[in-house]
Amino acid sequence: MKTLVVNCGSSSLKYQLFNMENETVMAKGLVDRIGQENASLKHDSVGIGRITIRSGIPDHSKAVSDMINALTDPEYGVLKSVDEIAAVGHRVVHGGEKFSDSVVIDNNVMAAVKDCVVYAPLHNPSNIMGIESCEKLCPGVPQVAVFDTAFHQTMPKHVYLYAIPYEYYEKHGVRRYGFHGTSHQFVANRAASLLKKPLKDLRMITAHLGNGCSITAIKDGKSLETSMGLTPLNGLMMGQRSGDIDPAVVAAMGDIEKLDANGIVAILNKKSGLLGVSGVSNDMRDIHKAADAGNERAQLALKMFCYRIRKYIGTYAASMNGLDVLVFTAGIGENDPYVREVACSNFDFLGIELDKKRNESPEKEKIISTDKSKVTVMVVPTNEELMIARETRRLVGNNSPKKAKK
Ligand code: ADP
């Protein structure tokens, strides 16, 4: 069974084609910086070769068609035609209260995912565009949605409720949902298995630091609390999202800037975070370059970014009455030793002791704390794609329904 996994982020499309008979990756790729001038597709056909294509990639629809072309290219592709794809699994960011598990996509599911756009305006539209483009280019192939919100459904009510009139929750589902669930779940399980301990016995914090950032407290093997809320705007400072903010800022800024609430929220979603503070970029690599060159606002953005991670680590350690394992993952979490070092600094009272050499080593999966550190700090690359492929196989089975229907 060949399963294609499509993960449309806010500015990227990651894909992997799996042979699910042995869970091996046949091909993978990344369309990076979608919508920017320097967008590119990096495609890797395992055992055949790699290619980088630079062309205009204005949106996720073009990214999907470039991905299919790369997979079926006569020279460097791994498929003769799209008919070889048995199923497509999609990362879908917001499932609202309707989906606490993955699901095979039909018209009702699409309608429900569209209903959630209001809560995930940066992400669900990219996910929808990805699903619709795949349906067009791979007609009849079953598509599965795997929701970012599902893992956090275990949060207790006193944690997921906002202290606002209760009817907003009852009538409209206004509550904390949390996101990046597939990633938090994957790295938590992987970290526990590397440490050869049951996850349920570890008080763990997982920090997913990508363009979007979230941090989760995991106790008894379940998500206890996570930093994102009703939407992926809450919590940590992100590439272009503000994270935590006094909600009254929306009204105050609206009055001053003569914008309605949606106008202000768009600024909080698209023009804030690293980008808003630095005025340089939403991309951490650019922030480092500018900060190293002496740009004070880039230095400030970096300081704010790391400070907020520290603040959440402290909060969640308090929620769990201690901390055994801290895991960093995603683009920044996996690749940025500086951010990891600053985020872990001044935690003597918790017993976090980082090993500088381990932190800077090129290994991808590693323990970066000292042997005597009370908290084991780790870097674990996320693999949302493999999780999604497994979920897709679980729901579609090993036989393609396309064949079964004949
Ligand atoms: P998303 O999936 O949310 O688009 P990613 O997990 O791909 O995000 O992470 C993107 C972020 O990772 C960007 O801010 C990028 O600058 C950062 N990143 C990638 N490589 C590095 C690196 N070597 N050092 C620092 N940051 C990096």
Side-chain angles (χ1 to χ4, degrees):
M1 179 185 181
K2 287 169 192 159
T3 299
L4 176 62
V5 171
V6 175
N7 178 353
C8 288
S10 47
S11 64
S12 65
L13 184 160
K14 293 178 194 157
Y15 62 91
Q16 291 192 14
L17 182 72
F18 287 89
N19 177 353
M20 288 310 282
E21 272 147 43
N22 50 12
E23 290 193 343
T24 52
V25 176
M26 301 173 68
K28 61 184 174 182
L30 167 67
V31 187
D32 208 3
R33 304 181 195 230
I34 293 173
Q36 295 179 36
E37 268 174 29
N38 50 356
S40 66
L41 183 154
K42 292 190 182 104
H43 177 87
D44 179 2
S45 286
V46 177
I48 298 175
R50 295 169 186 212
I51 183 158
T52 299
I53 301 161
R54 286 179 212 284
S55 67
I57 307 175
D59 56 30
H60 289 79
S61 176
K62 175 71 164 47
V64 167
S65 93
D66 285 1
M67 166 189 74
I68 296 287
N69 287 341
L71 287 167
T72 54
D73 188 274
E75 201 185 315
Y76 55 82
V78 290
L79 298 175
K80 288 202 175 70
S81 92
V82 290
D83 292 343
E84 289 179 56
I85 300 171
V88 184
H90 294 267
R91 172 192 179 206
V92 177
V93 166
H94 211 310
E97 285 215 305
K98 242 188 191 132
F99 303 108
S100 55
D101 199 0
S102 311
V103 67
V104 176
I105 297 170
D106 59 17
N107 289 342
N108 292 334
V109 171
M110 281 307 275
V113 172
K114 284 177 184 168
D115 283 346
C116 293
V117 165
V118 66
Y119 295 148
L122 274 188
H123 291 92
N124 274 31
S126 316
N127 302 154
I128 290 164
M129 222 189 279
I131 294 166
E132 288 176 346
S133 306
C134 284
E135 278 173 345
K136 239 181 253 160
L137 296 170
C138 314
V141 175
Q143 320 255 339
V144 168
V146 179
F147 297 95
D148 265 34
T149 40
F151 178 58
H152 302 300
Q153 287 295 305
T154 52
M155 283 190 288
K157 201 166 191 173
H158 71 278
V159 170
Y160 72 66
L161 275 188
Y162 294 122
I164 57 174
Y166 193 73
E167 55 267 30
Y168 291 137
Y169 165 63
E170 284 186 311
K171 284 189 195 154
H172 309 299
V174 176
R175 49 160 282 187
R176 180 189 296 281
Y177 288 95
F179 300 88
H180 293 140
T182 315
S183 175
H184 288 291
Q185 188 176 14
F186 181 87
V187 298
N189 282 321
R190 180 70 189 147
S193 118
L194 288 169
L195 296 172
K196 299 191 173 44
K197 287 183 183 159
L199 180 60
K200 65 175 178 43
D201 294 346
L202 297 168
R203 291 162 300 180
M204 189 182 284
I205 292 176
T206 49
H208 177 112
L209 309 177
N211 194 37
C213 302
S214 69
I215 185 161
T216 297
I218 298 170
K219 195 167 178 233
D220 303 323
K222 293 185 272 192
S223 171
L224 169 67
E225 169 153 21
T226 191
S227 57
M228 285 177 166
L230 173 72
T231 79
L233 179 55
N234 205 55
L236 298 174
M237 181 171 164
M238 311 181 209
Q240 58 202 39
R241 279 171 262 167
S242 64
D244 292 338
I245 195 163
D246 177 347
V249 167
V250 175
M253 288 310 299
D255 283 349
I256 296 163
E257 297 281 331
K258 306 274 175 281
L259 285 169
D260 64 9
N262 285 330
I264 297 297
V265 170
I267 290 171
L268 299 179
N269 262 317
K270 296 186 176 172
K271 295 188 173 171
S272 301
L274 293 172
L275 172 67
V277 175
S278 70
V280 172
S281 168
N282 66 327
D283 192 295
M284 186 54 97
R285 291 163 288 196
D286 300 335
I287 298 292
H288 275 297
K289 258 186 231 152
D292 291 347
N295 182 317
E296 285 181 12
R297 274 174 49 194
Q299 290 165 356
L300 178 64
L302 197 49
K303 207 168 182 177
M304 289 170 66
F305 184 86
C306 297
Y307 175 75
R308 203 167 300 177
I309 300 168
R310 288 194 62 244
K311 200 165 81 167
Y312 267 93
I313 292 171
T315 305
Y316 287 171
S319 297
M320 295 190 289
N321 189 23
L323 178 63
D324 301 309
V325 183
L326 169 62
V327 183
F328 287 97
T329 194
I332 300 168
E334 291 168 30
N335 296 300
D336 196 326
Y338 176 84
V339 167
R340 293 194 298 255
E341 185 180 335
V342 180
C344 289
S345 62
N346 292 322
F347 270 128
D348 304 347
F349 72 98
L350 255 185
I352 298 181
E353 195 180 274
L354 225 56
D355 181 313
K356 206 170 164 57
K357 217 167 156 194
R358 287 179 182 174
N359 186 35
E360 285 168 9
S361 87
E363 273 167 81
K364 296 269 176 225
E365 198 172 60
K366 58 196 170 193
I367 290 177
I368 59 170
S369 47
T370 63
D371 290 342
K372 65 177 199 321
S373 176
K374 279 194 197 133
V375 177
T376 306
V377 186
M378 305 174 76
V379 176
V380 177
T382 191
N383 198 339
E384 289 160 292
E385 285 76 12
L386 179 57
M387 277 287 284
I388 294 169
R390 286 176 181 165
E391 286 291 276
T392 304
R393 179 183 52 188
R394 180 171 70 83
L395 290 177
V396 171
N398 285 324
N399 297 316
S400 162
K402 199 179 167 191
K403 283 182 195 151
K405 268 187 206 159
K406 280 183 189 167

